[in-house]
């Protein structure tokens, strides 16, 4: 009898102590990427507003947007037109050069030695974990400022978390072009579900772009958010999450996001869990958000009216910046981006011809990446050493390098 009492007490203790832990990362910098830091600060407020403890959230962002000289609202960031300032109260644990793939992996795996003693996940087998990543991506990789995190590195980090019993269940939301390619080898027995903004072969899209980038009569000069990201966050802001499942949210997002194909991977049984398991218990939805979501679903407000392919947002930003302020410097930056795009298009057209492929055909062809991406890492490193650093636009051609490695 004593044995069963001990077991019962242990179970009760686990139930009481179970908490939500989260890691939020905006992996870009520079003002034209305004939307990623806006997304992540909004995500921080989604969790805080739904009762997740601040000390259980780790946030990583370069932090060069709020006080950027181009920002018409110094010290503020907005994630929707005429919305709230999401930078206010957004606690950033890693900023500037601390935002790296290595620190991200160290945070996930609880390796405080690698971070120099800075905050890392200290979740247990009783806790549920939510991860939200927003940045640029390519075939089998996502960018983190000027470096890359490859799919095999991410999957290995998640396996390490599982082996170290750092969670009960884990929900991973990823915003990036070709984000699906990061999870095609995610095992379905790790109690992890990944939900991506795009499948392995397509771009994700920014939203609230010009001319919808207006806040109280002033244009921000950059897309305010990403279509998929603001869809799930505005949805969470408006819902009773304790009676709304992960699958419910996924199906809602499918109705709102039409320019890319949100996709799920891993342990699909997690889709039956309530969103509150990972984003916090319900609060009474604010009337502002309830009305906003109703407009989105009914089509009276179309957040995709002025969406932009994430790979072309920098070009659009520089074009508008030049039109509003036609200085020689702005003209030079705009034309430099045009030339950069032409360089990547021309270079990979020549590579396609060199290997006997119709130019552009590899971009249109799907590829099943292997679990080990050593060849892709080497190919990306060689290209950047001998040709040029991949730009946000150029990252789409990592797919061509993958075809060369694994055809």
């Amino acid at each position: 009898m004593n044995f069963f009492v001990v077991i019962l007490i242990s179970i009760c203790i686990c139930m009481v102590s179970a908490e939500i832990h989260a890691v939020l990362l905006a992996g870009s910098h520079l003002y034209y990427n305004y939307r990623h830091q806006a997304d992540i600060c909004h995500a921080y407020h989604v969790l805080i507003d739904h009762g997740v403890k601040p000390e259980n959230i780790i946030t990583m962002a370069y932090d060069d947007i709020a006080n950027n000289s181009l920002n018409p609202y110094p010290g503020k960031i907005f994630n929707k037109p005429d919305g709230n300032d999401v930078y206010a109260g957004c606690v950033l644990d890693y900023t500037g050069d601390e935002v790296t793939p290595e620190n991200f992996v160290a945070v996930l795996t609880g390796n405080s030695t690698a971070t120099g003693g800075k905050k890392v996940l200290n979740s247990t087998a009783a806790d549920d974990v939510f991860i939200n990543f927003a940045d640029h991506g390519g075939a089998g990789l996502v960018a983190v400022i000027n470096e890359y995190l490859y799919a095999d590195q991410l999957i290995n980090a998640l396996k390490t978390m599982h082996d170290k019993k750092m969670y009960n269940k884990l929900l991973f939301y990823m915003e990036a072009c070709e984000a699906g390619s990061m999870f095609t080898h995610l095992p379905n027995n790790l109690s992890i579900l990944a939900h991506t903004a795009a499948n392995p072969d397509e771009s994700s899209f920014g939203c609230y772009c010009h001319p919808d980038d207006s806040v109280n009569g002033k244009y921000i000069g950059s897309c305010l958010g990403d279509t998929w990201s603001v869809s799930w966050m505005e949805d969470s802001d408006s819902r009773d999450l304790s009676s709304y499942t992960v699958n419910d949210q996924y199906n809602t997002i499918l109705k709102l996001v039409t320019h890319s194909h949100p996709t799920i991977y891993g342990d699909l049984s997690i889709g039956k869990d309530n969103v509150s398991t990972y984003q916090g218990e319900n609060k009474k939805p604010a009337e502002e958000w309830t009305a906003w979501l109703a407009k989105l679903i009914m089509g009276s407000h179309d957040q995709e009216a002025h969406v932009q392919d994430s790979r072309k947002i920098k070009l659009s930003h520089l074009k508008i910046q030049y039109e509003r302020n036609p200085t020689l410097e702005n003209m030079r930056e705009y034309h430099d981006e045009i030339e950069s795009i032409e360089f990547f298009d021309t270079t990979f057209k020549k590579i396609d011809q060199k290997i006997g492929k119709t130019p552009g055909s590899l971009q249109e062809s799907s590829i099943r990446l292997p679990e080990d991406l050593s060849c892709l890492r080497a190919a990306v490193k060689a290209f950047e050493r001998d040709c040029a650093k991949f730009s946000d636009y150029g990252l789409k051609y990592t797919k061509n390098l993958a075809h060369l490695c694994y055809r």
Side-chain angles (χ1 to χ4, degrees):
M1 180 64 69
N2 289 339
F3 172 77
F4 291 108
V5 170
V6 171
I7 293 297
L8 181 60
I9 292 174
S10 298
I11 292 173
C12 290
I13 289 174
C14 287
M15 291 177 65
V16 170
S17 62
E19 295 183 344
I20 298 171
H21 291 254
V23 178
L24 314 175
L25 185 148
S28 70
H29 65 330
L30 303 176
Y31 194 73
Y32 72 89
N33 284 319
Y34 181 109
R35 66 196 185 279
H36 294 139
Q37 293 182 44
D39 289 343
I40 290 304
C41 276
H42 186 175
Y44 180 86
H45 287 292
V46 169
L47 301 183
I48 293 294
D49 289 347
H50 285 91
V52 179
K53 295 178 179 179
E55 60 267 28
N56 287 357
I57 304 174
I58 301 173
T59 308
M60 308 176 74
Y62 200 82
D63 198 21
D64 63 337
I65 301 301
N67 294 299
N68 195 289
S69 61
L70 295 175
N71 190 351
Y73 292 101
K76 297 182 178 181
I77 298 176
F78 302 90
N79 199 218
K80 74 167 187 172
D82 298 333
N84 297 323
D85 171 21
V86 296
Y87 190 69
C90 180
V91 178
L92 302 178
D93 299 292
Y94 290 76
T95 60
D97 293 340
E98 297 172 335
V99 183
T100 64
E102 293 79 14
N103 275 342
F104 181 54
V105 169
V107 166
L108 294 183
T109 56
N111 186 356
S112 60
T113 301
T115 65
K118 289 183 68 68
K119 189 176 180 181
V120 297
L121 271 181
N122 60 1
S123 49
T124 72
D127 300 322
D128 295 302
V129 173
F130 178 70
I131 303 172
N132 183 206
F133 179 103
D135 193 25
H136 297 282
L141 62 85
V142 288
V144 183
I145 311 301
N146 292 316
E147 301 178 65
Y148 307 116
L149 175 68
Y150 288 83
D152 53 358
Q153 295 170 322
L154 177 58
I155 298 301
N156 285 337
L158 296 175
K159 288 179 178 178
T160 297
M161 293 177 69
H162 181 265
D163 292 343
K164 293 174 67 174
K165 296 180 171 55
M166 293 182 65
Y167 63 88
N168 173 43
K169 294 182 181 180
L170 189 154
L171 182 63
F172 199 129
Y173 276 19
M174 176 172 281
E175 171 75 61
C177 292
E178 298 176 78
S181 67
M182 296 295 290
F183 297 103
T184 53
H185 291 289
L186 176 64
N188 61 11
N189 62 349
L190 299 182
S191 296
I192 297 174
L193 179 70
H195 182 181
T196 66
N199 68 29
D201 297 304
E202 64 187 358
S203 297
S204 64
F205 285 75
C207 70
Y208 303 141
C209 303
H210 183 75
D212 286 343
D213 60 326
S214 176
V215 176
N216 299 323
K218 293 182 181 181
Y219 288 111
I220 296 299
S222 189
C223 298
L224 303 185
D226 289 284
T227 304
W228 176 83
S229 288
V230 299
S231 292
W232 79 256
M233 288 185 288
E234 290 176 1
D235 184 47
S236 290
D237 280 324
S238 69
R239 299 284 189 179
D240 177 351
L241 300 183
S242 64
S243 58
Y244 188 61
T245 69
V246 173
N247 281 341
D248 290 335
Q249 183 155 84
Y250 175 63
N251 289 327
T252 295
I253 290 171
L254 288 179
K255 297 175 184 177
L256 298 174
V257 179
T258 60
H259 287 74
S260 65
H261 298 83
T263 310
I264 52 178
Y265 302 87
D267 184 353
L268 301 185
S269 70
I270 290 176
K272 299 176 183 178
D273 294 346
N274 290 325
V275 178
S276 59
T277 304
Y278 307 96
Q279 296 178 22
E281 291 297 326
N282 174 58
K283 64 166 188 172
K284 182 179 179 181
E287 291 183 5
E288 171 197 13
W289 291 111
T290 304
W292 191 262
L293 184 69
K295 289 180 180 180
L296 286 174
I297 293 176
M298 296 304 294
S300 57
H301 180 92
D302 184 6
Q303 71 179 26
E304 290 204 321
H306 297 101
V307 303
Q308 291 180 6
D309 185 328
S310 291
R311 302 197 190 280
K312 294 287 188 72
I313 285 178
K314 181 178 182 180
L315 179 67
S316 176
H317 163 76
L318 294 174
K319 179 176 184 292
I320 292 170
Q321 184 172 285
Y322 172 66
E323 290 172 347
R324 291 176 178 169
N325 186 19
T327 64
L328 287 175
E329 177 65 16
N330 286 344
M331 180 178 70
R332 181 189 64 78
E333 290 184 1
Y334 176 45
H335 282 283
D336 283 351
E337 180 63 10
I338 292 174
E339 290 180 356
S340 174
I341 290 173
E342 291 176 346
F343 165 79
F344 282 103
D345 289 344
T346 300
T347 298
F348 280 94
K349 178 180 179 180
K350 291 179 179 178
I351 292 174
D352 286 348
Q353 292 172 330
K354 193 78 172 178
I355 63 174
K357 296 291 184 179
T358 302
S361 61
L362 296 183
Q363 278 291 299
E364 301 300 322
S365 302
S366 297
I367 182 170
R368 175 75 175 181
L369 296 173
E371 291 188 47
D372 182 356
L373 296 180
S374 299
C375 179
L376 179 60
R377 268 192 292 279
V380 169
K381 184 176 181 179
F383 183 89
E384 294 196 330
R385 181 192 66 226
D386 298 333
C387 299
K389 175 74 176 175
F390 277 106
S391 66
D392 300 334
Y393 175 84
L395 279 175
K396 75 176 189 176
Y397 287 112
T398 59
K399 186 176 186 179
N400 291 53
L401 298 183
H403 274 288
L404 291 176
C405 278
Y406 309 117
R407 58 179 177 162

